Amino acid sequence: MTYETATFLAQFVRHPFTVGAVWPSGPALARDITAPVPRTGHPVVVELGPGTGAFTRTVQQRLAGRGHHLAVELNRVFAAHLARRHPGVDVVDADAGSIGALLDVRGHRYADVVISGLPWAAFGPARQRAILSAVTGALDPSGVFTTFAYRHALVLPAARRFRRLLATNFEEVTVGRTVWSNVPPALVYHCRRPVRPAAA
Ligand SMILES: C[S@@+](CC[C@H](N)C(=O)[O-])C[C@H]1O[C@@H](n2cnc3c(N)ncnc32)[C@H](O)[C@@H]1O
C-alpha cells in the first residue's frame, strides 16, 4: 500500500462523509477527467477536493509549468500533504464553495477549467446546489467543468439529483466512457457553457 493510499484510508475512517471514498482514484480516471486542461497557453485550472493528489499529478504534467493551478481541499491532512508533494500547486485549505472568492484574491475573474473530485453523492441537496452554483459563477463562459461519479452509485437518489442539477447548470453535459480499471469503476461528466442565474 502506498503512503497516499494509507493516508486516504485513514482520513476516510475519520471523515467518511466528506472524503466519500475508501480509495484514491486511479491513473486512467485521472487522464479522462483532466483531458480539458489545455496543453498551450496559460490557463487557470482549479481542482476541487484533490485529496491525496490522484488528479493533481496529471494536471501538473499537462500544464508543464504554465498557468495557475489552484487546489481547494477541505481536509487539512490532505491539504498539507498536497502542498508538500506539489510545491508548484497553489494549495488552499478551504471549502469548494469559496472558489469565486479564492480566484478573486488571486486576480482571476474566471477559471478556464474546474476539475472536481468532490463526493457529490454524499452531499445533501442544499450543499450540491451551493457548490455547483459557485462553480458555474467562477467558470469562464467557454470553460469546462469535469467531475466523476462511481458507476455502481449512479442509481442512488443523491447521484440522480446531482445529474439533474448538472443539466440545469450547464447547456451541455456529456458522459464519458466507464473507466472499468478504476476502483470502483467510474465515469466522467464533461460540462460546458455554464448557465448563470439571471441578475435580480
Ligand atoms: C472522493 S475524494 C476524491 C479525492 C481525489 N480527487 C481522488 O479522486 O482520489 C473527495 C475529496 O473531496 C474533499 N472535500 C469534500 N468536501 C469538500 C469541500 N466542501 N470543499 C473542498 N474539498 C472537499 C475531501 O476531503 C476529499 O479529499
Side-chain angles (χ1 to χ4, degrees), residues 8 18-19 21 24-25 49-51 54-55 72-75 78 94-96 117-119 123 127 131 148:
F8 202 94
T18 54
V19 174
S25 300
F55 306 151
V72 186
E73 173 56 62
L74 194 62
N75 181 299
F78 287 156
D95 190 292
L118 297 173
F123 293 162
R127 196 163 185 72
I131 297 181
F148 76 92

Side-chain angles (χ1 to χ4, degrees), residues 44-153:
V44 176
V45 179
V46 182
E47 209 186 330
L48 303 176
T52 48
F55 306 151
T56 312
R57 196 177 313 118
T58 314
V59 172
Q60 282 286 284
Q61 281 164 358
R62 289 186 72 94
L63 286 175
R66 296 169 296 107
H68 187 161
H69 181 177
L70 171 65
V72 186
E73 173 56 62
L74 194 62
N75 181 299
R76 282 191 190 156
V77 173
F78 287 156
H81 167 79
L82 215 59
R84 271 197 310 275
R85 268 293 152 91
H86 299 281
V89 179
D90 179 7
V91 181
V92 191
D93 174 8
D95 190 292
S98 58
I99 177 173
L102 293 169
L103 286 170
D104 258 8
V105 296
R106 285 160 176 79
H108 301 305
R109 175 71 187 90
Y110 291 124
D112 298 295
V113 180
V114 177
I115 295 166
S116 160
L118 297 173
W120 295 102
F123 293 162
R127 196 163 185 72
Q128 284 186 345
R129 273 199 306 274
I131 297 181
L132 201 56
S133 105
V135 168
T136 56
L139 190 65
D140 188 274
S142 62
V144 185
F145 170 63
T146 55
T147 188
F148 76 92
Y150 293 123
R151 174 99 197 189
H152 69 273

